[in-house]
Amino acid sequence: MSHHITEARDLFYVYPDGRQAVSGISFRIHHGESVGIIGANGAGKSTLLMLLTGILRPAKGEVVIGEVRLTKDTLNMIRQRLGMVFQNPDDQLFMTTVHDDVAFGPRNLMLDEAQVEERVISALEKVGISHLKDRAPYHLSAGEKRAAAIASVLSMSPDILILDEPTSSLDPKSRRRLMKILSGFEHTKIITSHDLDMVLELCQRVIVMKDGRAIADGPAKDILTNKTLMEEAGLEIPLSLHGCPVCGRSKSDAD
Amino acid sequence: MSHHITEARDLFYVYPDGRQAVSGISFRIHHGESVGIIGANGAGKSTLLMLLTGILRPAKGEVVIGEVRLTKDTLNMIRQRLGMVFQNPDDQLFMTTVHDDVAFGPRNLMLDEAQVEERVISALEKVGISHLKDRAPYHLSAGEKRAAAIASVLSMSPDILILDEPTSSLDPKSRRRLMKILSGFEHTKIITSHDLDMVLELCQRVIVMKDGRAIADGPAKDILTNKTLMEEAGLEIPLSLHGCPVCGRSKSDAD
Amino acid sequence: MPNIVNAIYNIRGFDELARQDSFIHRLHPLAKLLATLVYTVVLVSFDKYATIALLPFLFFPVFMAAAGRIPAVPILKRLLYIEPMIICVGLLNPLFDRGTTSILGQTMSSGWLIFISIVIKGSLAVATALLLMATTGMDGIALSLRKLKVPKIFVLQLMLTYRYISVLLEEAARTIQSYALRAFSSKGLKREVWGPLLGQILLRTMDRAQRVYDAMCLRGFAGEYHIGKAPRPSWGDFLYVMGWGTLFAASRAVNLPLWLGNLLTGAVK
Amino acid sequence: MHMADALISPVVGGAMWAATAGVAAYSIKKVQEGLDQKKIPLMGVMGAFIFAAQMINFSIPGTGSSGHLGGGLMLAILLGPYAGFLTMASILIIQALFFADGGLLALGSNIFNLGFFTCFLAYPLIYKNIIGKEFNSKRILIASLVAAVAGLQLGAFGVVLETLFSGKTELPFGTFVLLMQPIHLAIGIVEGLVTAAVISFVWKSRPEVMEKASLNQPLGSLSLKKVMIGLAAAAVLTGAVLSWFASSHPDGLEWAMFKTSGQEELEATDPAHEKLAALQEKTAFLPDYGFKTPESAEPAGEPTQEKWPAVSAGTTVSGLVGGVMTLLLAAFMGFVINMKNKTGKKT
Ligand SMILES: Nc1ncnc2c1ncn2[C@@H]1O[C@H](COP(=O)(O)OP(=O)(O)OP(=O)(O)O)[C@@H](O)[C@H]1O
Ligand SMILES: Nc1ncnc2c1ncn2[C@@H]1O[C@H](COP(=O)(O)OP(=O)(O)OP(=O)(O)O)[C@@H](O)[C@H]1O
Ligand SMILES: [Mg+2]
Ligand SMILES: [Mg+2]
């Protein structure tokens, strides 16, 4: 399945106002990997995701998805394999019912209406919001909106799922459910989040960004327990890895 | 200091579309208490805060702040004692510079310009963003915006500080800093959040909401460790209270 | 502020009503739009002194509301809201027109007659337009517009405007609320914040437009707005339009209430 | 002010619909030509923004009262005249449908009054010219103020003309103008001040947005400009002629309306002319009432359809009885359908 490799080659991006948000990022993500991208506010995580999806064009470097370089010509082809859930679900839900929103992608893939229906139903079921089918997206609670946004991306059966801070403003139970959905998703996942406990649970690999640069890239466990590194990046060791006040040992020692 | 008691007396609120969001909430918060309001998405937390600040008018029941009933006539007077930080700081900053935004409240209190300046400087310092004084709010990062929004409320020297999900989308370090600011604030605090670890650290008392009703009200430690209660409310025990995988004991046993 | 909140609920309310299921809801949107348009044109084609002759035009909105299971109260509430404007203009007539006119064998102040006529026409036209919306919904309107060959970029833009109204109304409402909390006044916005407050919402809006577009593209959007299954117009739809059209034409040609009255009073005699 | 269905005649409404559709079709062509796909969501979201902004109260300095934004000029400045016009049209369509502001037939007039004058006259001819090559706060203020006032004055005048041509009210032209124009002067000033405040803010904080906006806007070819000037001149001329006509010939305006506003209207009221004589005879036996000149009675509605033999006193009774019966029938129909709905639901 080498054709689903996601590769960033020395990416640079400068915003029109001169702000350099991404400065020389390279990585290679294999099919089925699940990668967390972490870093302080303003580190350049969202910008990086937008470069990967072709929303922004890099100033230098290139993005290669499944051996195909992302250019203006290949953009539409490549995008059919990508699904991105935005930080703010309001930006993503623009139809009048949840059903139509989830059907928006498949309809653009020119599937016939029966196939569209099938995909919509299966996506809604997966996320557990079949009952919201006919509701208007703006009528939903924050968590339900997030779930709908995820369903609208799953219905396109992407090979690569990209999520920008998917757990923010979810209550603990909804967060749990989302994590279950995500861990059941067998293709490539790229997730940015400040919820490091979620990253620890879902991702095998973590890339740490600081000021537009990748300052670390490795197994999640190693990185998230590295106190100096995390401090340097303006982060903290996840709570679930904090030392136990009773026995005084860090939990990561356990395994 | 009985005049700063915040009291909700059998509050009810029905949204114009018929959705009953708050159904019979009563509590009494003493001056200096710090209270966390928790509950699943859609439980009615934000609605309750809006009732307390007079943004919404209850369908039944009343809000009493420092022995004064909140009515149309007393609204503006009472609001001078309240400071509310909204869920989204974007909605809250509307002046051209951070300085002017922080000065907006004090100026409306009709203080003279020297006093205003003093308050602005002290609020910015408290929050640690003096260097952002002359920046435009919409150019700031999410965390900086949140800090500015808090400063703009602190500068009014409120007797009661109300915060709606203050930590969402903050990186771990900014979250830490915010928590430090808040624990240094000596007056009444009312905080809603899904970040139960923060609630555990900051609040002595917790009110659990479910479907518009308060299903529990008591010391934070007792409530946040009560597994059945938390499950019932669609929540989870905070990570920092989870059992230690090494010694097998729950941390709350420690103290 | 209450303005904004009300607007949100108005829109939400209509959305919800339009999602019901009834005979009227199942009609093709274009049929409903056409029937309403014919209705409005025939209604306003009555001259300015028409009063009693307008009454048969009550049947159409009553039918739509009843058959479409639309509660009367919200529609009547909206009517009350609109009416002051019509009444204002209407009231100028008795002020300026002090003449009299003969009608139904009685002489009446023509200004007042015009006033009554305007109020009846206004209420009927407004109620019918609202009922159209309550039984058809915005998707239906978009579908009819496409059927009427309105270019898709306009329809798309209209739909996006519609969709984002709720989001932006909430955003504006929250901004105004936070302003009110620190301004300690519930009057209007002070001059010094006009630019920054509205301007910042505007800039955020523009960024949001960019993100919306990106999100659409990522889901394969290429300029065509697929509304999905389009109901096909049926004979029922055709008959609906023709049937009502005939009735409107008949009521226009013949003063039905007068005829009815003649019949009845004749019978009584 | 919005034009309302209650005040408009099918001819005027139809004509304004046609004019609006023409301008819209042309604008769509223009927007498609410079096809910047990204502009469509921008138009959509901007429309929603203006809609939200219209709900905000602006307190007017020194008066204690408050005003609202219309938004046409702001849309023209930020999106250009074509996209601006189309966006304004969307806003008005949604208002007509959800809030019944105006109504369906009056929609054409409303889009024209509030969109065309601002986007295609005030913006290119006034705003653009005052702004010139360089932006500064003062110029933005003056340009917005003058353009907003001019746009709204033209729009208000449009409302006056459309109302008068429709002939559904009996307002003297002069009075109506004297009522409408000054009110809209105040509205225009608020509009201009708010627009200037927002545009200055955007220009100061994100100059590239303004630059991009003005680059995106072809000022329109010269021929278009000529058309605009021609239209403006025609409007002013018509206004002048009509005002003279109205002041010297109060009843003649109606006559002019019959002449100009086409056949349908005439057809509809044609029987009036035939029956006029008969009508006068019938009404003559009410001698105590000062009966106005035949002209004002001319378009009287119900009597014209008096095809059924009836004496006047009987007609009154018949009319009232018939009216009440119609109301009862309508209520009865609603009741029956409601009952059917309910029993239908139970089964
Ligand atoms: N549209 C923009 N124009 C100019 N600068 C921008 C823009 N968007 C982001 N930036 C800047 O680019 C940098 C990276 O921003 P980005 O949104 O990628 O950060 P992030 O890592 O996603 O942060 P967060 O955790 O707050 O989401 C920041 O310094 C930010 O101020
Ligand atoms: N403007 C509104 N109109 C109608 N219903 C609303 C509105 N806002 C909220 N609701 C409903 O009222 C209930 C309470 O909403 P509220 O925003 O208070 O929840 P919350 O506890 O703050 O949730 P969250 O954790 O998602 O912030 C929810 O069921 C929600 O759907
Ligand atoms: Mg981000
Ligand atoms: Mg909330």
Side-chain angles (χ1 to χ4, degrees):
Chain A
M1 284 251 207
S2 76
H3 60 291
H4 291 150
I5 284 180
T6 309
E7 204 177 342
R9 291 187 188 152
D10 201 28
L11 287 179
F12 280 81
Y13 186 79
V14 185
Y15 276 102
D17 63 357
R19 171 113 208 161
Q20 178 143 359
V22 169
S23 335
I25 295 252
S26 299
F27 54 74
R28 205 176 143 87
I29 295 174
H30 293 277
H31 183 247
E33 257 192 305
S34 111
V35 178
I37 298 180
I38 62 176
N41 287 127
K45 305 178 296 294
S46 302
T47 310
L48 178 60
L49 295 190
M50 291 197 265
L51 288 169
L52 290 182
T53 48
I55 289 173
L56 300 177
R57 203 79 53 74
K60 225 189 92 188
E62 56 190 20
V63 172
V64 181
I65 304 227
E67 326 256 272
V68 181
R69 272 189 51 214
L70 198 150
T71 64
K72 217 172 172 176
D73 298 328
T74 59
L75 189 63
N76 282 337
M77 196 192 77
I78 286 183
R79 279 182 171 172
Q80 300 189 1
R81 302 197 183 156
L82 293 175
M84 172 153 174
V85 177
F86 283 61
Q87 193 154 357
N88 184 353
D90 270 331
D91 292 336
Q92 191 152 359
L93 303 169
F94 41 77
M95 303 290 283
T96 29
T97 66
V98 171
H99 173 281
D100 283 358
D101 230 309
V102 178
F104 182 85
R107 278 181 188 152
N108 282 325
L109 293 174
M110 294 300 165
L111 303 180
D112 63 50
E113 203 52 25
Q115 281 175 297
V116 169
E117 205 51 32
E118 202 175 288
R119 289 222 184 168
V120 171
I121 288 171
S122 113
L124 289 175
E125 237 157 49
K126 221 179 268 171
V127 185
I129 52 166
S130 304
H131 58 288
L132 299 179
K133 195 161 134 306
D134 297 318
R135 295 272 298 276
Y138 50 81
H139 237 325
L140 304 178
S141 90
E144 291 166 332
K145 269 187 201 168
R146 176 83 59 195
I150 292 172
S152 74
V153 162
L154 289 183
S155 67
M156 295 174 64
S157 308
D159 295 327
I160 299 162
L161 191 56
I162 297 180
L163 303 122
D164 201 352
E165 317 234 357
T167 52
S168 87
S169 89
L170 287 188
D171 65 37
K173 215 171 212 166
S174 313
R175 169 174 172 274
R176 242 331 116 203
R177 191 171 58 196
L178 173 66
M179 284 163 65
K180 224 166 84 191
I181 298 168
L182 293 181
S183 68
F185 180 80
E186 66 277 23
H187 299 290
T188 310
K189 289 189 280 285
I190 304 176
I191 305 174
T192 75
S193 188
H194 296 305
D195 178 354
L196 300 181
D197 293 291
M198 182 212 29
V199 171
L200 180 67
E201 252 188 79
L202 281 182
C203 305
Q204 302 113 38
R205 177 176 163 195
V206 163
I207 296 173
V208 183
M209 287 188 71
K210 192 190 170 188
D211 297 335
R213 247 172 277 274
I215 58 168
D217 180 348
K221 273 262 161 69
D222 300 353
I223 288 187
L224 294 172
T225 50
N226 184 336
K227 202 166 170 200
T228 14
L229 176 64
M230 295 299 275
E231 294 265 291
E232 190 195 333
L235 299 170
E236 267 184 0
I237 292 187
L239 269 175
S240 54
L241 292 181
H242 274 188
C244 167
V246 182
C247 68
R249 285 177 63 195
S250 139
K251 286 184 204 169
S252 52
D253 299 350
D255 7 46
Chain B
M1 282 250 208
S2 75
H3 60 291
H4 292 149
I5 285 180
T6 309
E7 203 176 342
R9 291 187 188 152
D10 201 28
L11 285 180
F12 280 79
Y13 186 78
V14 184
Y15 277 102
D17 64 356
R19 171 115 207 158
Q20 179 143 358
V22 168
S23 335
I25 295 252
S26 300
F27 54 73
R28 206 177 143 86
I29 296 175
H30 291 276
H31 184 246
E33 259 191 303
S34 111
V35 178
I37 297 180
I38 62 177
N41 287 126
K45 305 179 295 295
S46 302
T47 311
L48 178 61
L49 294 191
M50 290 198 264
L51 288 169
L52 290 183
T53 48
I55 289 173
L56 300 176
R57 202 81 51 77
K60 223 189 93 190
E62 55 189 19
V63 172
V64 181
I65 304 226
E67 324 255 273
V68 181
R69 272 189 51 213
L70 199 150
T71 64
K72 216 170 173 180
D73 298 326
T74 58
L75 188 64
N76 285 334
M77 193 191 81
I78 285 184
R79 280 182 171 171
Q80 302 187 1
R81 301 194 183 161
L82 292 174
M84 172 153 175
V85 178
F86 282 62
Q87 194 154 356
N88 184 354
D90 268 334
D91 294 333
Q92 190 151 6
L93 304 169
F94 45 76
M95 299 296 284
T96 13
T97 65
V98 171
H99 174 279
D100 282 357
D101 225 303
V102 178
F104 185 82
R107 280 188 186 142
N108 283 318
L109 289 173
M110 298 301 165
L111 303 180
D112 62 52
E113 206 46 30
Q115 282 174 296
V116 169
E117 206 50 34
E118 200 175 288
R119 288 222 183 168
V120 171
I121 289 172
S122 112
L124 289 174
E125 234 157 51
K126 224 180 267 173
V127 185
I129 52 165
S130 304
H131 57 289
L132 298 179
K133 195 161 130 317
D134 298 318
R135 295 274 295 279
Y138 46 86
H139 274 168
L140 303 178
S141 90
E144 291 166 334
K145 271 186 197 162
R146 176 84 59 193
I150 292 172
S152 74
V153 163
L154 289 183
S155 66
M156 292 162 57
S157 308
D159 296 327
I160 299 160
L161 189 57
I162 297 180
L163 302 120
D164 199 354
E165 317 236 356
T167 53
S168 87
S169 89
L170 286 189
D171 65 38
K173 213 171 213 166
S174 312
R175 170 175 171 273
R176 241 332 115 205
R177 191 171 57 195
L178 173 66
M179 283 163 66
K180 223 166 85 193
I181 298 169
L182 293 182
S183 68
F185 179 79
E186 65 278 21
H187 298 291
T188 310
K189 287 189 282 284
I190 304 175
I191 306 175
T192 77
S193 188
H194 295 305
D195 180 353
L196 299 182
D197 293 291
M198 182 213 29
V199 172
L200 179 67
E201 253 188 77
L202 282 183
C203 305
Q204 304 115 35
R205 175 175 164 197
V206 164
I207 297 173
V208 183
M209 285 187 72
K210 191 190 171 188
D211 298 334
R213 245 172 278 275
I215 58 169
D217 181 348
K221 273 263 163 64
D222 299 353
I223 286 185
L224 293 172
T225 50
N226 183 339
K227 203 167 169 199
T228 13
L229 176 64
M230 295 299 274
E231 293 264 291
E232 189 195 333
L235 299 169
E236 270 184 357
I237 291 188
L239 270 174
S240 55
L241 291 182
H242 274 190
C244 167
V246 181
C247 69
R249 285 177 63 196
S250 138
K251 286 184 203 169
S252 51
D253 299 350
D255 8 48
Chain C
M1 231 313 287
N3 247 344
I4 299 189
V5 173
N6 282 339
I8 298 173
Y9 288 107
N10 269 315
I11 291 179
R12 285 183 175 177
F14 278 112
D15 264 352
E16 224 124 81
L17 291 175
R19 264 193 287 283
Q20 293 180 321
D21 187 37
S22 79
F23 159 66
I24 299 280
H25 286 81
R26 281 189 295 270
L27 285 170
H28 194 275
L30 188 56
K32 283 179 272 187
L33 181 63
L34 287 181
T36 308
L37 275 177
V38 172
Y39 174 87
T40 314
V41 170
V42 176
L43 177 70
V44 305
S45 78
F46 276 91
D47 62 74
K48 58 187 169 190
Y49 297 112
T51 47
I52 288 192
L54 297 175
L55 292 179
F57 284 79
L58 196 58
F59 280 97
F60 183 58
V62 169
F63 177 79
M64 285 225 288
R69 298 199 177 114
I70 306 298
V73 176
I75 302 285
L76 293 177
K77 254 196 199 156
R78 287 299 320 164
L79 268 184
L80 286 181
Y81 200 71
I82 299 294
E83 216 69 326
M85 203 201 81
I86 301 178
I87 289 179
C88 270
V89 177
L91 273 181
L92 293 173
N93 280 289
L95 270 178
F96 288 109
D97 182 356
R98 303 207 167 267
T100 53
T101 282
S102 158
I103 175 172
L104 294 176
Q106 291 288 351
T107 302
M108 281 192 57
S109 147
S110 50
W112 282 108
L113 211 51
I114 295 179
F115 168 71
I116 294 170
S117 180
I118 285 179
V119 169
I120 295 180
K121 280 183 203 156
S123 314
L124 289 177
V126 164
T128 323
L130 292 173
L131 285 167
L132 169 71
M133 220 41 225
T135 55
T136 310
M138 202 58 194
D139 283 337
I141 297 292
L143 187 75
S144 341
L145 289 179
R146 286 297 286 140
K147 281 263 182 285
L148 292 172
K149 302 280 177 253
V150 174
K152 65 187 174 204
I153 68 162
F154 182 76
V155 177
L156 173 62
Q157 187 257 123
L158 176 66
M159 288 306 286
L160 282 175
T161 300
Y162 170 67
R163 171 60 188 90
Y164 273 89
I165 280 174
S166 316
V167 173
L168 281 173
L169 281 176
E170 302 249 10
E171 201 162 314
R174 280 193 306 266
T175 308
I176 303 292
Q177 279 160 358
S178 76
Y179 166 87
L181 278 182
R182 287 194 285 149
F184 317 121
S185 107
S186 28
K187 283 194 210 124
L189 287 189
K190 292 183 184 166
R191 173 95 199 262
E192 76 247 34
V193 305
W194 287 3
L197 190 143
L198 216 52
Q200 291 193 61
I201 301 179
L202 175 67
L203 291 179
R204 292 208 301 270
T205 300
M206 291 177 139
D207 290 341
R208 186 192 291 272
Q210 181 65 47
R211 291 194 301 271
V212 171
Y213 177 73
D214 293 334
M216 288 169 72
C217 282
L218 274 174
R219 282 155 72 196
F221 176 73
E224 180 69 64
Y225 189 78
H226 304 279
I227 295 175
K229 49 189 178 295
R232 298 185 150 273
S234 68
W235 279 105
D237 296 314
F238 181 73
L239 286 179
Y240 182 79
V241 178
M242 291 314 289
W244 279 113
T246 314
L247 259 168
F248 301 153
S251 326
R252 178 68 183 86
V254 175
N255 187 339
L256 288 177
L258 190 59
W259 178 75
L260 186 68
N262 278 327
L263 210 69
L264 285 173
T265 50
V268 169
K269 271 174 207 162
Chain D
M1 187 193 95
H2 284 55
M3 193 66 198
D5 273 355
L7 303 179
I8 208 167
S9 75
V11 178
V12 174
M16 296 310 290
W17 256 109
T20 297
V23 178
Y26 184 70
S27 301
I28 288 172
K29 201 174 130 241
K30 280 291 189 183
V31 169
Q32 256 166 340
E33 261 169 27
L35 194 63
D36 180 2
Q37 282 276 347
K38 289 190 184 187
K39 206 156 182 180
I40 294 165
L42 183 59
M43 284 161 69
V45 179
M46 282 294 294
F49 165 76
I50 295 292
F51 195 98
Q54 285 176 343
M55 307 272 164
I56 295 175
N57 258 328
F58 297 92
S59 58
I60 299 159
T63 63
S65 60
S66 57
H68 292 270
L69 183 73
L73 181 63
M74 202 185 294
L75 285 173
I77 296 172
L78 292 169
L79 297 171
Y82 306 110
F85 177 80
L86 293 174
T87 308
M88 200 65 206
S90 295
I91 295 172
L92 290 166
I93 289 175
I94 290 170
Q95 281 175 344
L97 289 171
F98 284 91
F99 299 87
D101 271 359
L104 292 185
L105 191 64
L107 183 56
S109 316
N110 284 325
I111 296 176
F112 200 87
N113 296 341
L114 294 170
F116 178 82
F117 292 124
T118 317
C119 292
F120 290 105
L121 294 177
Y123 170 72
L125 300 184
I126 299 173
Y127 180 87
K128 275 279 187 183
N129 284 330
I130 297 182
I131 287 284
K133 288 264 179 300
E134 49 159 332
F135 276 100
N136 65 46
S137 300
K138 209 170 130 200
R139 279 196 185 189
I140 292 176
L141 178 65
I142 295 170
S144 309
L145 207 56
V146 179
V149 168
L152 273 158
Q153 287 296 310
L154 287 170
F157 196 63
V159 172
V160 171
L161 288 186
E162 287 149 21
T163 307
L164 288 179
F165 280 128
S166 295
K168 300 290 160 180
T169 79
E170 198 59 56
L171 302 182
F173 176 79
T175 319
F176 201 12
V177 167
L178 281 180
L179 267 172
M180 288 290 282
Q181 305 304 124
I183 292 176
H184 282 83
L185 181 63
I187 297 178
I189 290 173
V190 177
E191 174 89 18
L193 290 177
V194 176
T195 304
V198 174
I199 296 296
S200 298
F201 176 84
V202 173
W203 168 69
K204 272 185 205 136
S205 46
R206 290 258 287 267
E208 81 276 4
V209 169
M210 295 304 302
E211 277 152 28
K212 215 168 124 205
S214 55
L215 275 184
N216 278 345
Q217 302 161 9
L219 236 186
S221 51
L222 210 86
S223 63
L224 177 65
K225 211 167 178 172
K226 274 184 192 151
V227 173
M228 304 295 180
I229 295 172
L231 260 173
V236 172
L237 200 70
T238 323
V241 170
L242 280 177
S243 61
W244 166 79
F245 200 69
S247 56
S248 65
H249 225 287
D251 288 324
L253 189 61
E254 233 158 49
W255 169 85
M257 263 159 39
F258 279 117
K259 285 279 175 223
T260 49
S261 68
Q263 301 310 310
E264 281 169 49
E265 190 85 338
L266 267 179
E267 233 170 58
T269 40
D270 220 19
H273 295 271
E274 294 166 21
K275 297 254 159 118
L276 196 62
L279 176 81
Q280 258 180 294
E281 265 168 44
K282 278 179 195 154
T283 49
F285 76 88
L286 294 161
D288 286 343
Y289 290 89
F291 192 49
K292 220 193 166 187
T293 51
E295 272 99 354
S296 74
E298 177 184 356
E302 273 73 13
T304 66
Q305 278 137 14
E306 229 178 75
K307 293 191 177 120
W308 289 269
V311 259
S312 296
T315 313
T316 313
V317 177
S318 299
L320 290 178
V321 168
V324 170
M325 278 311 290
T326 312
L327 290 180
L328 286 177
L329 271 177
F332 179 68
M333 180 188 73
F335 180 73
V336 168
I337 300 177
N338 257 335
M339 288 310 289
K340 269 192 95 175
N341 277 345
K342 282 198 184 122
T343 51
K345 251 185 224 163
K346 269 178 212 149
T347 49

